[in-house]
Amino acid sequence: MSKPTGIGPANTTPLTSHLPRPMAPDTASGTPLPMQHDADAEMAVLGSCMYQSAVIDAVRQVLEPGDFYQPAHTTIWHALLQLQKEGAPTDAIALSHQLKSTGDLTRVGGPPYLHTLASAASVGSGAEYYADIVRHHADLRALQATAVRVLQGATAPGADPAEVRSLLTASLSEAADRARRSSGGRLQRYAVDGWSFVTDTPASSAPVWGTPGKTAWASGESLMLVGPPGVGKSTLAQQIVLARLGLLAQVLDMPVQQGEKVLYIAADRPSQLARAFTRVVDQAHQDVLRQHLVFWSGPLPASLNAEPQLLTELAAEHGADTVVIDSLKDVVGKLTDDEAGLAYNNARQQLLRDGIELLELHHQRKQGPDASRNQRPVLDQVYGSAWFTAGAGSVLFLNGAAGDPVVQLHHLKTVDDEIGPLPVIHDHPRGTSRVDTSLDPLTLLRQAGTHGLTARQLAAQTTGEANPRPADLAKARRRLEALTKSGHAVQETGAGGGAGGGQATRWTASTRHISAVS
């Protein structure tokens, strides 16, 4: 298991490389075989622990002292454990003092090497991931040693098959015990008792974008923004990113919670995306963009279905609390493959579990020539395996044709109450989007004057359908009832009728709101 390209500390030769390293003999040729190890990962683990002593507790759930290949690293690890036990700092200065008191400072490379370790990883970043790499190689070395012992026993003069089998069984049992010990931390890391799970897990998630009850994007759940090419997915995502950076307060009249740092994976046409951002940023935004926004340009080092942990590692490496993927087709090997969909959902859920918010841009299935542009989209129109949408918290669909100045925003998978459908007007030269308020329920109610509207009439106007669905009728009624509750509308309850029918409940704008636009 090698460390992914571009992730973690650069390849460096430890100052302790002059120390003798264990070698396994090749009994056939007598030539020593190099033992499995990853020096960079060992340095990254120790460097992370030096930055923040609390990281030591997480790492010690994965590693045993003997898991380090470099003897100097084992010595440094013991010193870190001692400092933590005493409640002392674990930085390079404190570590130098501790190693000097035990007579080990010179042997491990002195203060210069400790400072090299301190620069091998960012603050607490990816320590458990790197520890897994160290444990992986330590497991392989243990198995290699087992194989050598068994081979030597089997080729010794007068070897007894029963004794060799006994040696093999004992060695395998020892390897299995070691595997259980080293995986114990991983098996316990995210486990909580039943009462804590039920009582400590929030009943509802705070909105990242939207308001309680009208949430487009909930914290701890991904938002998938879907649509055909050219309908403004990246334009809308760009505005959400700027709002996460504190440069905008709202997007489509909905508030966006400010974050700390955004990692934007521009895997699809990064040059075009850069040009798009020049529409909305200028020199005054330089400091914010330099400190709180980072772009990954082009393909990832590996597809996320092949390496699900890569997404979480990227976020940790860059200190991001928000990740934007533009777009899914460029980070997953085969979108129509259910196994790829499940693997990607694994990557998604690992990221969310670490408290990172996720926005995904995705495409719809190709539509036939007879497909109507006014057809209401459904989840089945999202391209690829159903597991992509199954694991998403919210799915918004932008319906229209490439370059349309006005597109329809549909909420296909909701967090709570459905948002829209909303007519969205894109100002492409300025890179901004807004809701067309001409179809706002209160605006339509005011325009109806004293005659007012029924729930069916409002649903027909907002959806553009002559025969609205029962769900649209119920939504229109809820909106009108909310306007009544807020004092913006007056309700005239209808009466049931016989064979000749009856009178539907009708709403009119309150007098002050009618006069405001008359």
Side-chain angles (χ1 to χ4, degrees), residues 120 215 384 416:
T215 302
D416 33 48

Side-chain angles (χ1 to χ4, degrees), residues 98-117:
Q98 173 64 24
L99 290 166
K100 186 176 182 180
S101 69
T102 59
D104 294 315
L105 182 59
T106 301
R107 186 173 62 82
V108 302
Y113 185 61
L114 298 183
H115 285 285
T116 298
L117 289 179

Side-chain angles (χ1 to χ4, degrees), residues 346-364:
N346 184 8
R348 168 200 280 155
Q349 299 305 327
Q350 286 186 47
L351 185 77
L352 296 172
R353 184 179 60 188
D354 281 3
I356 313 299
E357 311 296 355
L358 178 61
L359 170 59
E360 308 155 326
L361 275 61
H362 194 25
H363 293 81
Q364 71 170 48

Side-chain angles (χ1 to χ4, degrees), residues 71-150:
H73 290 169
T74 302
T75 301
I76 293 170
W77 176 244
H78 280 297
L80 286 169
L81 293 175
Q82 183 61 34
L83 288 171
Q84 188 205 36
K85 181 180 179 181
E86 297 172 356
T90 56
D91 55 55
I93 298 174
L95 195 54
S96 294
H97 180 78
Q98 173 64 24
L99 290 166
K100 186 176 182 180
S101 69
T102 59
D104 294 315
L105 182 59
T106 301
R107 186 173 62 82
V108 302
Y113 185 61
L114 298 183
H115 285 285
T116 298
L117 289 179
S119 63
S122 56
V123 182
S125 173
E128 293 169 86
Y129 173 74
Y130 296 125
D132 283 338
I133 295 177
V134 175
R135 179 187 56 79
H136 172 86
H137 286 293
D139 285 345
L140 290 178
R141 291 199 302 273
L143 291 172
Q144 190 174 0
T146 295
V148 169
R149 287 199 303 271
V150 172

Side-chain angles (χ1 to χ4, degrees), residues 179-482:
R180 282 192 292 271
R181 291 196 307 273
S182 61
S183 66
R186 296 189 299 163
L187 298 179
Q188 294 291 331
R189 195 175 305 164
Y190 298 103
V192 296
D193 66 87
W195 178 254
S196 297
F197 179 82
V198 172
T199 57
D200 294 344
T201 303
S204 58
S205 300
V208 175
W209 180 28
T211 58
K214 285 280 188 180
T215 302
W217 182 8
S219 180
E221 302 179 15
S222 71
L223 167 62
M224 182 180 288
L225 190 57
V226 185
V231 294
K233 297 188 299 296
S234 294
T235 297
L236 192 55
Q238 167 185 291
Q239 294 168 76
I240 296 171
V241 166
L242 294 177
R244 287 289 283 169
L245 301 180
L247 300 179
L248 295 176
Q250 294 186 329
V251 177
L252 301 184
D253 298 331
M254 294 183 289
V256 178
Q257 182 185 38
Q258 184 175 346
E260 291 295 329
K261 191 172 186 180
V262 176
L263 168 63
Y264 198 116
I265 300 176
D268 184 15
R269 299 170 296 169
S271 298
Q272 180 175 326
L273 183 65
R275 290 194 298 272
F277 264 87
T278 61
R279 300 174 298 177
V280 291
V281 299
D282 54 36
Q283 194 69 22
H285 302 133
Q286 181 179 169
D287 288 345
V288 173
L289 268 60
R290 284 191 183 278
Q291 297 176 27
H292 300 285
L293 177 61
V294 59
F295 282 91
W296 179 283
S297 183
L300 294 178
S303 62
L304 294 181
N305 52 302
E307 294 188 17
Q309 80 284 352
L310 180 59
L311 191 59
T312 300
E313 180 57 28
L314 273 171
E317 178 70 16
H318 297 286
D321 68 346
T322 304
V323 173
V324 180
I325 298 178
D326 188 356
S327 61
L328 286 186
K329 67 178 177 59
D330 304 290
V331 299
V332 180
K334 189 176 182 182
L335 293 171
T336 56
D337 184 8
D338 280 345
E339 288 190 9
L342 287 168
Y344 171 75
N345 191 48
N346 184 8
R348 168 200 280 155
Q349 299 305 327
Q350 286 186 47
L351 185 77
L352 296 172
R353 184 179 60 188
D354 281 3
I356 313 299
E357 311 296 355
L358 178 61
L359 170 59
E360 308 155 326
L361 275 61
H362 194 25
H363 293 81
Q364 71 170 48
R365 297 182 186 275
K366 291 183 178 180
Q367 301 296 295
D370 298 330
S372 171
R373 286 178 55 187
N374 296 322
Q375 179 182 355
R376 178 185 295 271
V378 294
L379 278 176
D380 284 346
Q381 285 178 244
V382 179
Y383 186 79
S385 167
W387 294 113
F388 288 103
T389 55
S394 178
V395 179
L396 294 175
F397 194 106
L398 281 174
N399 198 23
D404 277 356
V406 181
V407 296
Q408 289 289 324
L409 180 70
H410 297 269
H411 205 175
L412 304 190
K413 187 176 184 182
T414 64
V415 177
D416 33 48
D417 195 11
E418 181 181 357
I419 295 171
L422 298 176
V424 176
I425 301 175
H426 290 309
D427 186 339
H428 291 291
R430 291 186 174 88
T432 60
S433 306
R434 62 181 177 86
V435 177
D436 183 358
T437 56
S438 64
L439 294 183
D440 174 72
L442 181 55
T443 301
L444 295 174
L445 204 59
R446 290 169 175 171
Q447 292 173 350
T450 56
H451 187 65
L453 293 172
T454 65
R456 179 174 292 276
Q457 290 170 333
L458 177 62
Q461 291 191 51
T462 55
T463 64
E465 299 176 3
N467 296 304
R469 302 179 307 165
D472 294 322
L473 294 175
K475 184 193 302 183
R477 178 176 292 276
R478 289 196 303 271
R479 289 177 169 178
L480 291 167
E481 289 173 345

